[in-house]
Amino acid sequence: VIVSVLRQPEKPSYNETATVLASVIDVGSGVKKVILSYSGGTTWKNETMTLKEELYRAIVPAFPFNITINYRVYASDNVENWAAPSSIYSYVVADPYPPDIGYPNWSPEKPAANEEITITVTVTEPPHSSGVKDVTLWYVNQTRDLWLSVPMTENGYGNWMATITNQSDTVVTFFIEAIDNAENMAESEEQEFTVAAPPGVPLAWILAAIAIIGAG
């Protein structure tokens, strides 16, 4: 009799194996063989389960994210009586980990006024994971309190880029947000760079003059 079938962990991820545990008893000739049969697609594979601490055990190998794994247990006794097979159990391979965001770079390192600034960063996920879905650049400068977002585009090998324009005489603060196909999100630490003032009267002086005139 196959009494029970358990699985550890309950929600295996793409980088984890799953241990199937079965409680099997026979009050006559004794248990001879217990088999785990599993499938991650159209074909099934059988593994002989081993007895340890009164439970029969076998391993389902790691599978890629979002694959549905089906499995069931068979058992026979020493006179070749086969138990009714267990129910078919299943789980979907999970991805609980967010993307990995590298250290961003920007070019030019010391931007001139109104110069186009390109920000690049490496965002990756391991093989068989859900993969990077979206990467977004968020930035704000000293002249406004509103954070703006720019979608980043991948240009190969996990390298993502976006551009910022129309910045002048200010400090730009930015961070990177990345989401994978399992909806896990990661954010980088905030970075900042200074954009030079345009030639001529500094913007800060102009603003100060406007303030004085307005007060008058």
Side-chain angles (χ1 to χ4, degrees), residues 33-53:
K33 183 182 293 185
V34 181
I35 295 173
L36 169 67
S37 183
Y38 67 88
S39 172
T42 58
T43 60
W44 289 75
K45 185 175 182 179
N46 294 334
E47 294 286 349
T48 300
M49 305 181 78
T50 58
L51 182 62
K52 182 180 180 182
E53 297 175 353

Side-chain angles (χ1 to χ4, degrees), residues 105-134:
N105 296 287
W106 56 92
S107 178
E109 292 186 2
K110 297 180 179 180
N114 300 314
E115 188 173 15
E116 185 176 89
I117 306 156
T118 300
I119 296 176
T120 58
V121 67
T122 300
V123 182
T124 58
E125 286 222 321
H128 307 305
S129 65
S130 63
V132 180
K133 179 181 179 181
D134 292 308

Side-chain angles (χ1 to χ4, degrees), residues 122-200:
T122 300
V123 182
T124 58
E125 286 222 321
H128 307 305
S129 65
S130 63
V132 180
K133 179 181 179 181
D134 292 308
V135 181
T136 304
L137 168 69
W138 289 88
Y139 74 96
V140 67
N141 63 33
Q142 290 178 326
T143 63
R144 64 167 72 95
D145 294 327
L146 178 66
W147 284 84
L148 300 177
S149 64
V150 179
M152 303 189 78
T153 57
E154 187 180 14
N155 56 6
Y157 303 101
N159 297 314
W160 295 75
M161 64 175 293
T163 58
I164 297 176
T165 58
N166 301 322
Q167 305 297 308
S168 178
D169 192 20
T170 189
V171 174
V172 176
T173 302
F174 73 92
F175 69 91
I176 310 295
E177 177 187 84
I179 301 175
D180 65 15
N181 287 291
E183 302 301 328
N184 301 302
M185 186 181 72
E187 290 183 358
S188 69
E189 295 183 358
E190 291 184 2
Q191 306 290 336
E192 65 178 36
F193 56 84
T194 301
V195 181

Side-chain angles (χ1 to χ4, degrees), residues 7 9-14 16 18 39 63-71 89-96:
R7 178 178 69 247
E10 186 65 24
K11 295 181 179 180
S13 61
Y14 61 88
E16 290 181 307
S39 172
F63 279 84
F65 167 75
N66 213 33
I67 296 294
T68 298
I69 307 302
N70 297 301
Y71 64 94
Y89 300 90
S90 64
Y91 62 89
V92 178
V93 180
D95 176 3

